[in-house]
Amino acid sequence: MATAGKVIKCRAAVAWEPNAPLMMEEIEVAPPQEGEIRIKVVATGVCHTDLYHLFEGKDKRGFPTVLGHEGAGVVESVGPGVTDFKPGDKVIPLFLSQCGECKFCKCPKTNMCDCSCNYHDIMSDPTTRFTCRGQPILQFMGTSTFSEYTVINQIAVAKIVDDAPLDRVCLLGCGIATGYGAAVNTAGVTPGSVCAVFGLGAVGLAAVMGCKNAGASHIFAVDINEQIFEKAKIFGATDFLNPKAYNKPISEVLSEMTSGGVDFSLECVGNTEVMRTALESCIKGWGVSVLVGWTDVKDFSAKPIQLISGKTWKGSLFGGFKSKDSVPNLVCDYMTGKIKLDEFITHKMSLEQVNDAINLMKTGDCIRCILNISK
Ligand code: NAD
Ligand code: ZN
């Protein structure tokens, strides 16, 4: 491509500081270096983790940055040493890498790759490929999909089939893979089991879909926003509970309705009280509760008897999927109808409307908004 090896000037939404609207800017995107890939971003979802960094992060560390980690695009050029990707390949950036070399990648029990820019705001070398107004701009989660172009290490990019619709499969870069995998991988939901999913945003709805595909017989959908229950039905929820509608803890309600508690519960809110409730809602002896919701500012607590009685409390990052291996398969699962994606999309906007999309995410009306970045 004519742009290979050159700096690309393009549009991006820059988060200059916490708690402020993103600014549309022209940024410079440097060519990819050893092992890196420059990607033309076609579409991206907006996820609550983007909002979390913008509004609830602990300090000004991690700014200025370009947010966005649920994108899909096309390879524009590759750096030296990249052999598995070529210009024109369709790809999904991964906030969780899979280097294939570290002890975690080599272990089938986990997806916690040790070797990448996981949770760092910059490329792994460690510099950023973005500048704006003469200043380096960080790359949030190593992905930065709120930009027309981004540069990512090849260990954090998944190559997908050529006919995949990028404005939908982008959702597999975070929320949907996360919730779905939390049910099928981390919880290990079994056929005929009784499940409860707390929080029915995109992540929770995907967890419901995972419970359903794993053969659960009952799936309790728990949310304080009852408007979402109709949607949850589409993904396979069978029973619906609003904790605010009861004058006793919802764990007690669930325990009574299920003769002692559910086999599997998944917390998809990011609230430590709900995490505790989800654990308490499990049946003693074998109940498994999975933390999916994100918070790093609060500790959680629970009575030790909850675990002594034989329950298991687990957490799940990116649904336990080894990212590079699994995302291409999930794309195929969507193409063959095994998993739904279209039903999560409630809004579509342009990159310029990103602040509207962020505001919309704060209301209960939006499950996922797709930003069309470029054609
Ligand atoms: P979301 O805000 O769209 O959905 C949260 C849902 O929880 C909403 O429907 C809300 O009404 C409901 N809710 C709020 N308080 C509740 C309560 N007390 N009881 C029951 N329901 C309640 O969020 P999302 O995009 O679906 O993400 C969910 C969480 O998952 C976030 O914390 C996000 O940061 C996290 N996340 C984790 C990972 C991971 O790898 N572990 C990846 C992506 C996102
Ligand atoms: Zn996300």
Side-chain angles (χ1 to χ4, degrees):
M1 284 197 189
T3 44
K6 298 179 187 155
V7 170
I8 292 181
K9 290 187 176 182
C10 69
R11 292 175 307 133
V14 176
W16 288 102
E17 54 181 350
N19 295 306
L22 309 187
M23 302 280 285
M24 285 307 300
E25 304 278 4
E26 183 179 81
I27 67 164
E28 294 89 39
V29 181
Q33 297 188 4
E34 179 82 28
E36 294 175 355
I37 301 171
R38 190 159 59 184
I39 297 165
K40 181 179 183 183
V41 181
V42 172
T44 182
V46 180
C47 169
H48 278 93
T49 310
D50 300 310
L51 275 71
Y52 188 86
H53 186 74
L54 189 59
F55 299 113
E56 291 173 56
K58 277 180 274 187
D59 52 41
K60 286 201 168 188
R61 238 171 28 92
F63 292 88
T65 189
V66 174
L67 299 171
H69 61 282
E70 206 174 67
V74 178
V75 175
E76 175 268 341
S77 63
V78 300
V82 175
T83 52
D84 295 346
F85 295 85
K86 59 180 187 318
D89 283 348
K90 284 192 174 174
V91 291
I92 292 183
L94 304 165
F95 71 83
L96 178 67
S97 64
Q98 185 186 350
C99 74
E101 303 290 328
C102 72
K103 68 176 177 186
F104 298 96
C105 279
K106 285 186 173 153
C107 174
K109 291 190 224 172
T110 182
N111 61 350
M112 294 296 295
C113 174
D114 204 23
C115 311
S116 79
C117 43
N118 297 340
Y119 295 111
H120 295 190
D121 305 296
I122 48 177
M123 302 296 298
S124 47
D125 81 340
T127 53
T128 171
R129 304 286 163 264
F130 290 173
T131 48
C132 180
R133 304 180 194 217
Q135 268 194 64
I137 305 292
L138 299 173
Q139 291 186 245
F140 177 62
M141 291 177 106
T143 51
S144 290
T145 55
F146 295 172
S147 171
E148 285 180 289
Y149 287 87
T150 187
V151 179
I152 305 180
N153 196 301
Q154 62 181 341
I155 62 175
V157 182
K159 182 149 87 178
I160 60 170
V161 289
D162 279 340
D163 51 347
L166 298 179
D167 60 350
R168 280 166 265 166
V169 298
C170 60
L171 292 178
L172 292 168
C174 181
I176 311 311
T178 293
Y180 185 73
V184 301
N185 299 328
T186 316
V189 171
T190 47
S193 59
V194 177
C195 301
V197 176
F198 292 76
L200 304 169
V203 174
L205 291 172
V208 169
M209 178 166 77
C211 295
K212 159 107 176 151
N213 281 13
S217 63
H218 289 274
I219 305 167
F220 287 87
V222 186
D223 201 300
I224 52 175
N225 171 16
E226 292 189 12
Q227 281 172 16
I228 204 72
F229 291 160
E230 274 307 305
K231 197 76 169 180
K233 242 183 228 172
I234 297 171
F235 292 99
T238 56
D239 301 83
F240 306 89
L241 297 174
N242 177 359
K244 287 192 170 165
Y246 296 86
N247 52 15
K248 57 182 162 185
I250 204 69
S251 53
E252 271 181 40
V253 176
L254 273 164
S255 177
E256 285 164 14
M257 293 175 83
T258 59
S259 311
V262 301
D263 301 308
F264 300 96
S265 69
L266 296 113
E267 198 279 353
C268 304
V269 180
N271 174 319
T272 51
E273 285 305 312
V274 181
M275 292 174 184
R276 178 183 182 134
T277 302
L279 176 67
E280 290 171 351
S281 302
C282 282
I283 192 161
K284 70 180 179 195
W286 61 77
V288 176
S289 189
V290 179
L291 310 185
V292 190
W294 181 264
T295 178
D296 56 5
V297 290
K298 278 196 175 164
D299 294 342
F300 55 61
S301 63
K303 290 230 158 55
I305 185 65
Q306 289 292 323
L307 301 184
I308 292 167
S309 65
K311 301 181 189 182
T312 305
W313 214 2
K314 307 170 91 172
S316 184
L317 183 71
F318 197 56
F321 283 116
K322 284 192 185 279
S323 57
K324 226 171 138 81
D325 289 348
S326 304
V327 167
N329 296 335
L330 288 168
V331 169
C332 292
D333 286 347
Y334 165 68
M335 308 285 281
T336 56
K338 188 175 164 196
I339 60 172
K340 300 180 198 296
L341 290 180
D342 304 8
E343 291 77 358
F344 290 97
I345 301 167
T346 50
H347 299 81
K348 289 195 171 189
M349 293 187 184
S350 66
L351 179 57
E352 279 71 17
Q353 292 170 293
V354 63
N355 290 309
D356 295 339
I358 286 173
N359 288 332
L360 201 59
M361 288 293 282
K362 294 184 195 162
T363 71
D365 297 335
C366 175
I367 296 170
R368 272 298 189 261
C369 177
I370 303 294
L371 302 177
N372 287 307
I373 308 288
S374 52
K375 290 218 163 39

